[in-house]
Amino acid sequence: ALVLVSIGMVWIYSASAIKASQNHAAATAFLTRQLVGGGIGIAFMLALSQVDLSILQDHPRPLMVAYGILLVLLLAVLFFGPKVNGAHRWLRLGPLGSLQPSEFFKPLSVLIAASWMIRNREAWANRKDALPKLLGLAGVLVVPLALILREPDFGTSFLIVFVALMVVFLGGAPKWIFAVAIPILGALGTAFVVLSPYRLARVTSFLNPEADPLGKGHQALQSLVAVGNGGFTGVGLGGGKQKLFYLPEAHTDFIYAVVAEEAGLIGTVAILALFVAILWRGYRIARRVGDGYLKLCAMGFVLLLVVQALMNMSVVLSLAPNKGIPLPFISFGPNSLITSLVSLGLLLSISKDVST
């Protein structure tokens, strides 16, 4: 993970220096903010690695307090947050930067889902008891998810729902629940896309970006140009052309395309291999830890990181519509970096309970 953070710092500077020079006093403006976020995130990671998460299984009050605080912050975003690129996702904190509450709800959703599954484990063997309990969990998550969708942030909502479903599945919920829930969620997701012009435009441009190469399909096509330019070994660090205002959001959601152009197939496969290593280590921790709650949390945290990474890479390679999902540890975004390191710190704390 720290190697990924280091890679991110290098390519954030490469992808953002010219843009920063135009909008700020120094070419290192974005890099400086990311370094501050990285320092805060590593401090949180080290602190949380010493926390005993198992106490939350019997004492969920801290989760309830964190849940209430984030609900207030998510509401504040909608009413007081500035509109950036058509969305209300941040709260301005003056010289301290900005806060994105939806990012911090990601690890909290894992803790809540895992705690709910363990505290109600007796209900999963009985169909009559299982459905009300799962509806209760859905009720807890649906309010913050609705606020995140209202921002709007469909990608983050999709990620949280997917990871929560995996925690529910691994927690022993009856399989018939998924036969009912997945079609319902699919229908709701389709409705959100069809009833929203900009989401529908993203899907149609993904299916046929050449139809509007200077408009809706511009980002996808420029991303593929960057990937194609890179070839096997890349054009060299700093030598990429697509980041020069051809590729929008080059230092955030599409930084993987900049890496592809400058480091080639070798660089992109190396990053993918590092995320696979995180997946393997996280799975190993989850498999070997004895406590059921910690086992679910471990799988939830590692899926949160790896699934998000795969979603971002899929968008860059035009394998999926653009969802505005950053690449963990690498994309510019202090909030995303801090949240990723928080998830890693919680995973490290669980690793201390691994039985030998």
Side-chain angles (χ1 to χ4, degrees):
L2 293 179
V3 173
L4 286 168
V5 172
S6 301
I7 292 171
M9 296 299 176
V10 171
W11 261 282
I12 283 171
Y13 178 70
S14 175
S16 68
I18 293 177
K19 180 176 181 178
S21 298
Q22 286 199 342
N23 300 329
H24 303 275
T28 57
F30 290 104
L31 175 62
T32 301
R33 289 169 59 189
Q34 190 77 349
L35 285 169
V36 172
I40 295 171
I42 289 173
F44 273 117
M45 179 189 74
L46 294 174
L48 290 171
S49 69
Q50 305 302 314
V51 172
D52 182 8
L53 276 183
S54 61
I55 62 174
L56 294 177
Q57 183 174 335
D58 299 315
H59 302 88
R61 184 178 294 275
L63 293 181
M64 297 168 60
V65 172
Y67 177 85
I69 292 172
L70 277 176
L71 273 187
V72 172
L73 291 174
L74 288 169
L75 280 168
V77 164
L78 295 179
F79 286 101
F80 306 110
K83 193 171 187 179
V84 180
N85 294 331
H88 298 272
R89 297 180 186 175
W90 296 270
L91 286 173
R92 297 295 188 200
L93 302 178
L96 298 178
S98 59
L99 179 68
Q100 189 175 0
S102 59
E103 282 290 332
F104 294 92
F105 187 70
K106 293 176 184 177
L108 181 62
S109 66
V110 171
L111 294 170
I112 290 173
S115 176
W116 192 279
M117 294 305 295
I118 293 299
R119 285 190 292 112
N120 296 287
R121 52 181 168 237
E122 295 83 5
W124 309 136
N126 189 322
R127 175 176 294 194
K128 187 177 294 185
D129 296 332
L131 185 58
K133 295 296 183 183
L134 288 172
L135 289 176
L137 174 60
V140 171
L141 296 178
V142 73
V143 177
L145 284 172
L147 294 175
I148 294 171
L149 278 172
R150 188 70 182 84
E151 292 180 358
D153 191 346
F154 186 77
T156 298
S157 303
F158 175 85
L159 177 65
I160 292 171
V161 169
F162 179 83
V163 173
L165 277 176
M166 290 303 298
V167 171
V168 169
F169 175 78
L170 296 170
K175 305 302 183 288
W176 63 267
I177 291 289
F178 301 94
V180 175
I182 291 175
I184 292 175
L185 290 172
L188 287 174
T190 302
F192 273 112
V193 170
V194 172
L195 297 177
S196 173
Y198 91 93
R199 291 194 189 103
L200 185 60
R202 280 187 174 184
V203 173
T204 55
S205 66
F206 159 70
L207 295 174
N208 187 17
E210 293 86 357
D212 189 11
L214 300 179
K216 301 298 183 182
H218 177 75
Q219 205 164 28
L221 291 175
Q222 295 302 317
S223 178
L224 290 177
V225 168
V227 174
N229 284 346
F232 187 72
T233 58
V235 299
L237 179 62
K241 300 294 190 296
Q242 292 305 107
K243 66 188 180 185
L244 305 179
F245 306 104
Y246 293 102
L247 179 63
E249 310 300 334
H251 62 302
T252 56
D253 299 344
F254 282 82
I255 197 168
Y256 194 61
V258 179
V259 176
E261 185 175 17
E262 298 186 350
L265 180 65
I266 294 175
T268 55
V269 171
I271 289 175
L272 178 60
L274 288 169
F275 279 108
V276 171
I278 290 176
L279 176 63
W280 170 65
R281 294 294 293 175
Y283 168 75
R284 187 170 179 267
I285 292 169
R287 183 171 58 85
R288 297 179 63 186
V289 74
D291 184 86
Y293 175 66
L294 297 181
K295 190 182 294 288
L296 288 180
C297 286
M299 285 307 301
F301 292 136
V302 74
L303 286 173
L304 201 60
L305 295 171
V306 176
V307 171
Q308 182 174 340
L310 294 177
M311 287 172 64
N312 177 276
M313 294 174 186
S314 298
V315 169
V316 168
L317 299 174
S318 283
L319 300 175
N322 187 7
K323 304 177 188 68
I325 289 287
L327 184 58
F329 304 116
I330 296 181
S331 289
F332 172 77
N335 285 272
S336 174
L337 180 56
I338 292 170
T339 304
S340 298
L341 289 168
V342 163
S343 298
L344 184 66
L346 294 171
L347 189 58
L348 287 171
S349 74
I350 296 170
S351 71
K352 295 179 182 295
D353 289 285
V354 169
S355 56
T356 57

